[in-house]
Amino acid sequence: MRAAISLLVLLFSMCGAQTRSTQTEVQTESQSTGAAAAAAAEVSTELDVSDELRELRDMVVELRVLLTVTQNELQNTKAEMKTEVENLKKENAAQETRLAASEAEVINLTKENAALETRLAATVTEVEELKMDSAAHEQELAALKTRLAASETGIDDLKVRNAAQEAELKAVKTRLAATETEVDNLETITEKSKVAFSAGLPDAGFIWAGSNHLNLVFGRIITNVGQAYSSTSGFFTAPVRGVYYFRFTVMDNLDSRGMAINMFKNGQYLMGLYEYDNDGNYTYLSSGLTLQLEVGDEVNLRIPPGHRVYDDHNKYCNFSGFLLFPL
């Protein structure tokens, strides 16, 4: 619209300038040619001006038509511009409202940001303090780890020493148990090795064997340390393995007869004594024997068949024995 208006103004300016230029030229030519040519020039000039005026009139008509069209377009454009301006005003009002809200929000955000910065500064301070505390804790932890490592090393050393001591203690216990067993055995052997006895015959007078061997029981106990001799059965039973010494004495009144005594071990004959006399006096048989016996071996004296021994309150007969040493 503005371009159309500018074009019309330019056309009017050009028409006016052309008319003035033509009139000036006509006047100049009239003056130069003289009065004779003035009439002809004036006629020619009028004709040219009339043509130009007609062209200008046509041009003006066109311009008026163009101006009308342009005015209509300008009116439409004004209406559109007005509508657009109203819309822009409304939009501007909305933008101002939004801007006000945004400014308020910015203010609130600024305040909130200031609060956050304050909290951030406090947090940073707290973080720095925590870092310092953490560094101190790390140093303390490192010291504790060092102490722990030293303690673990000490514990390992103690475990090794304890294991060695336990092994040594176990060996000592084993040796102690063996020693105790040996001591118990020795005590048992020592206790059992206290073996000694002496026994005599009761006031029985003559003791005959008859037709079979007679086990001679010395029922009168004089000494019986270790209780190895039985006054009931007449047997000595070895309590420990060892070497023993036995001795015996028996008596009879021989008047043209013989007297005999035998020693047995576990029912096996070991030795025997025999004496014959006819003077009617007392005759004694006495001997001793060293024997190696095992635990449970038995020793006893027997009268052979057809023989006898004699004893009374004078106690002529006895049977003794004792352990020389254990094996």
Side-chain angles (χ1 to χ4, degrees):
M1 183 65 187
R2 291 178 182 177
I5 295 172
S6 298
L7 181 59
L8 290 175
V9 173
L10 179 60
L11 290 173
F12 282 122
S13 297
M14 290 176 63
C15 291
Q18 189 175 4
T19 302
R20 285 191 301 270
S21 178
T22 303
Q23 290 176 355
T24 301
E25 291 177 356
V26 171
Q27 290 176 0
T28 300
E29 290 177 358
S30 296
Q31 289 177 1
S32 60
T33 55
E42 183 176 355
V43 173
S44 179
T45 302
E46 288 178 356
L47 292 174
D48 292 335
V49 168
S50 297
D51 293 333
E52 289 179 2
L53 288 174
R54 282 194 299 268
E55 290 176 359
L56 289 174
R57 186 185 59 189
D58 294 335
M59 187 180 295
V60 168
V61 172
E62 292 177 359
L63 289 174
R64 284 180 180 176
V65 173
L66 180 61
L67 180 59
T68 302
V69 173
T70 302
Q71 287 178 349
N72 293 330
E73 290 179 356
L74 181 60
Q75 292 296 325
N76 295 330
T77 302
K78 285 182 179 180
E80 291 176 357
M81 292 295 292
K82 186 176 181 180
T83 303
E84 185 176 358
V85 167
E86 292 296 329
N87 292 332
L88 289 174
K89 286 181 179 180
K90 292 180 181 179
E91 185 177 355
N92 187 40
Q95 292 289 342
E96 287 180 355
T97 303
R98 291 174 61 189
L99 178 61
S102 298
E103 290 176 350
E105 187 176 359
V106 168
I107 293 172
N108 293 331
L109 289 175
T110 302
K111 293 180 181 179
E112 186 177 355
N113 186 46
L116 289 175
E117 288 180 353
T118 302
R119 290 174 61 189
L120 178 61
T123 303
V124 169
T125 303
E126 186 176 0
V127 167
E128 293 298 329
E129 293 176 353
L130 289 174
K131 285 182 178 179
M132 296 175 62
D133 292 340
S134 178
H137 290 160
E138 287 180 356
Q139 292 178 356
E140 185 177 359
L141 180 60
L144 289 175
K145 286 182 177 179
T146 303
R147 291 175 59 189
L148 178 61
S151 299
E152 288 177 347
T153 303
I155 289 172
D156 291 336
D157 293 338
L158 289 175
K159 286 181 178 179
V160 173
R161 292 172 57 188
N162 188 38
Q165 289 177 355
E166 286 181 354
E168 185 177 358
L169 179 60
K170 186 176 181 180
V172 170
K173 286 182 177 179
T174 302
R175 291 170 57 190
L176 178 61
T179 302
E180 288 177 347
T181 302
E182 186 176 357
V183 168
D184 291 339
N185 292 335
L186 288 174
E187 287 179 352
T188 302
I189 292 173
T190 301
E191 186 66 27
K192 291 182 177 180
S193 60
K194 296 177 181 179
V195 180
F197 77 95
S198 288
L201 292 174
D203 300 340
F206 292 105
I207 301 175
W208 291 85
S211 59
N212 296 312
H213 278 90
L214 176 65
N215 181 43
L216 191 56
V217 179
F218 294 82
R220 183 172 54 85
I221 297 297
I222 301 171
T223 302
N224 194 12
V225 177
Q227 306 299 315
Y229 177 76
S230 173
S231 61
T232 303
S233 65
F235 284 86
F236 172 84
T237 303
V240 294
R241 183 173 182 268
V243 178
Y244 295 81
Y245 177 75
F246 296 95
R247 185 169 183 81
F248 59 88
T249 299
V250 293
M251 188 275 291
D252 192 11
N253 185 359
L254 296 182
D255 184 7
S256 299
R257 58 177 297 107
M259 179 179 64
I261 190 70
N262 296 329
M263 180 177 283
F264 286 80
K265 171 188 172 184
N266 296 330
Q268 300 295 322
Y269 176 82
L270 290 179
M271 64 167 290
L273 296 178
Y274 178 80
E275 181 69 23
Y276 178 85
D277 204 347
N278 57 6
D279 58 5
N281 295 321
Y282 292 153
T283 301
Y284 293 89
L285 294 176
S286 182
S287 185
L289 192 63
T290 301
L291 296 176
Q292 177 179 335
L293 301 179
E294 301 295 331
V295 177
D297 285 349
E298 294 179 335
V299 178
N300 68 308
L301 295 175
R302 296 181 184 180
I303 302 173
H307 294 82
R308 67 182 187 182
V309 296
Y310 177 80
D311 205 351
D312 55 21
H313 64 280
N314 291 311
K315 300 177 178 54
Y316 302 110
C317 302
N318 60 72
F319 181 31
S320 299
F322 56 87
L323 175 65
L324 293 174
F325 54 86
L327 295 176

